[in-house]
């Protein structure tokens, strides 16, 4: 399934040119045109899923395996010191294109990438409540 109005569907399926690093029947990996760091890439499923809540589980598995392989390639080829794997769901979480995609962000000493938060505390009360509500 494709969305004819989705720019990432068009890129993933070759209708819009991209700097492609990898492609198979399920995904296309491209260089991000607004990179956070040198080598920043996106994994785009060829089928349209708005977010993590909608993505087919087999496609999701394939995306993470592809992310691992691309991260290893970045480590070897670019000598990166770390990698952030980022996947946003919903506008409040930073999603700007509503086609599931995963960012692979190479990290270098002294880079300006900021993917951090202030650690909070887990109270005993919250822990008990959350375990009850969130356990699968």
């Amino acid at each position: 399934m494709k969305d004819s109005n989705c720019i990432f569907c068009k890129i993933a399926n070759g209708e819009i040119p991209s700097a492609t690093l990898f492609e198979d029947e399920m995904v296309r990996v491209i260089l991000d045109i607004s990179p956070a760091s040198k080598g920043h890439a996106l994994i785009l499923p060829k089928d349209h899923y708005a977010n993590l809540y909608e993505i087919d589980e087999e496609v999701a598995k394939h995306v993470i395996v592809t992310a691992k392989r691309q991260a290893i390639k970045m480590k070897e080829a670019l000598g990166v010191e770390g990698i952030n794997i980022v996947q946003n769901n919903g506008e409040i979480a930073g999603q700007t294109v509503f086609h599931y995609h995963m960012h692979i962000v190479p990290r270098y000493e002294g880079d300006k990438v900021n993917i951090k938060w202030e650690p909070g505390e887990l109270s005993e009360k919250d822990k008990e409540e959350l375990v009850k509500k969130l356990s699968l």
Side-chain angles (χ1 to χ4, degrees), residues 22-91:
F22 173 77
E23 178 182 13
D24 65 16
E25 68 285 345
M26 284 191 194
V27 300
R28 182 182 297 256
V29 181
I30 65 169
L31 290 176
D32 193 310
I33 62 169
S34 300
S37 67
K38 183 178 180 179
H40 179 171
L42 300 175
I43 303 174
L44 308 175
K46 290 187 174 182
D47 284 333
H48 184 81
Y49 308 97
N51 49 44
L52 180 67
Y53 314 117
E54 293 182 6
I55 193 167
D56 175 85
E57 287 190 8
E58 289 305 311
V59 176
K61 290 175 188 177
H62 188 69
V63 168
I64 196 65
V65 168
T66 302
K68 176 186 177 190
R69 291 176 182 160
Q70 191 64 59
I72 290 168
K73 180 67 175 181
M74 289 173 171
K75 186 168 176 47
E76 293 170 351
L78 301 176
V80 301
E81 298 177 43
I83 299 275
N84 285 111
I85 304 293
V86 179
Q87 202 284 307
N88 303 317
N89 296 280
E91 191 173 339

Side-chain angles (χ1 to χ4, degrees), residues 65-122:
V65 168
T66 302
K68 176 186 177 190
R69 291 176 182 160
Q70 191 64 59
I72 290 168
K73 180 67 175 181
M74 289 173 171
K75 186 168 176 47
E76 293 170 351
L78 301 176
V80 301
E81 298 177 43
I83 299 275
N84 285 111
I85 304 293
V86 179
Q87 202 284 307
N88 303 317
N89 296 280
E91 191 173 339
I92 196 165
Q95 186 177 13
T96 57
V97 178
F98 293 88
H99 176 111
Y100 177 93
H101 58 285
M102 184 175 284
H103 297 260
I104 308 169
V105 183
R107 299 303 304 272
Y108 306 91
E109 184 68 38
D111 68 26
K112 304 287 188 216
V113 178
N114 186 14
I115 304 174
K116 297 182 180 183
W117 54 84
E118 287 290 323
E121 292 184 28
L122 179 61

